[in-house]
Amino acid sequence: MFSTDHDARQMAEGFRWNCCHLPPAEAPFYFRNGGKAAMIRLLHAAPHTDNLDVFVNGISVFQNISYTDLSSYVRFPAGRIQIDVFQRGRAHGPILTVQYHLIHGGYCTVAVTGTAAKLVPVGMYDRPAADPESRSIRCVHLSPDSPALDFVVQNGPVLFSGVPFQTVTRYIQVRSQKIDMELKAAGSTAVLLKVPKITLHAGESATLYGLGFVNGSPSLTIKAAPFPAKAPPS
């Protein structure tokens, strides 16, 4: 029923060249490029960091993103992009700059993690479940002061073991509609966080982002994000 994988760096690097192939949704004309487009969204996962304004290839794409916010997807031309992250208001230069290559049809998430003193980008591609009846799950370690983590089902198996900071696990299929999760330091029985009743709908894949601090505030938490993402209200 479960398998494990915690090869973070390969997943993060793979984002640069291997976004998944899905039909892009409708989007404003200024993000079109002869139909060759990708979808990109941003997660603010850097505690104690001001709200963020984010430019992609010099275009203001995400504005005033606060900690734990996950933006909607925005269509952008496929190909090489430069992401510049500014503190809200852009009084100074970018606090983080990173380049990626977006593949046509890809749905991609870029998480800005670390702390205000040292921001770290983590790129990943988002994939649907294998079929309309299945459910998939993966985990992303974005807690700056946490040790390597075990993502565990309460009173059940370890889904992902020894996941280091900045790691994106691969997706695994699960049967349960609801999962009670625990985060533990790798190889330890001590529970760092209990997260009851994570709901997994048929046909969706969910990403569980581990955010915050083990020691300090804001405290360790999990943010669950389904894919396909729910459409925003019109």
Side-chain angles (χ1 to χ4, degrees):
M1 176 163 118
F2 300 101
S3 63
T4 63
D5 182 89
H6 50 273
D7 190 348
R9 299 189 182 352
Q10 284 188 2
M11 283 293 291
E13 182 65 22
F15 169 77
R16 296 174 185 267
W17 308 106
N18 296 298
C19 288
C20 62
H21 293 268
L22 297 172
E26 289 302 317
F29 72 92
Y30 46 86
F31 290 123
R32 294 177 187 165
N33 182 29
K36 295 187 179 302
M39 303 296 281
I40 186 170
R41 65 181 178 180
L42 184 96
L43 171 64
H44 185 338
H48 298 169
T49 303
D50 291 342
N51 290 9
L52 302 177
D53 291 336
V54 179
F55 284 65
V56 182
N57 289 353
I59 299 172
S60 177
V61 176
F62 306 110
Q63 301 85 32
N64 200 26
I65 304 295
S66 59
Y67 175 62
T68 75
D69 278 355
L70 178 65
S71 76
S72 299
Y73 286 105
V74 171
R75 175 183 278 197
F76 208 84
R80 186 170 294 278
I81 63 168
Q82 177 169 307
I83 298 173
D84 292 304
V85 179
F86 295 81
Q87 290 183 340
R88 176 63 176 162
R90 302 180 296 284
H92 304 286
I95 55 178
L96 177 69
T97 295
V98 63
Q99 294 185 346
Y100 290 114
H101 189 96
L102 299 183
I103 299 301
H104 168 50
Y107 278 69
C108 308
T109 298
V110 176
V112 177
T113 186
T115 62
K118 185 179 180 182
L119 295 180
V120 179
V122 178
M124 65 204 81
Y125 59 88
D126 305 321
R127 294 196 313 224
D131 59 68
E133 301 302 319
S134 67
R135 301 169 178 85
S136 299
I137 193 172
R138 70 174 174 185
C139 296
V140 184
H141 184 339
L142 300 176
S143 171
D145 74 334
S146 295
L149 294 173
D150 290 345
F151 291 79
V152 183
V153 175
Q154 292 182 29
N155 302 314
V158 176
L159 297 184
F160 304 99
S161 63
V163 181
F165 177 53
Q166 304 176 53
T167 295
V168 182
T169 72
R170 73 182 183 94
Y171 288 100
I172 59 172
Q173 289 193 21
V174 296
R175 295 181 184 147
S176 304
Q177 255 188 321
K178 294 185 183 294
I179 295 180
D180 298 325
M181 291 284 296
E182 293 178 341
L183 294 186
K184 299 179 180 181
S188 171
T189 59
V191 177
L192 302 176
L193 177 69
K194 287 189 176 185
V195 188
K197 301 297 183 289
I198 293 172
T199 301
L200 305 172
H201 296 289
E204 286 183 347
S205 59
T207 299
L208 306 184
Y209 302 101
L211 310 174
F213 292 118
V214 170
N215 301 298
S217 177
S219 59
L220 190 63
T221 188
I222 279 185
K223 181 179 182 70
F227 184 84
K230 303 300 183 188
S234 57

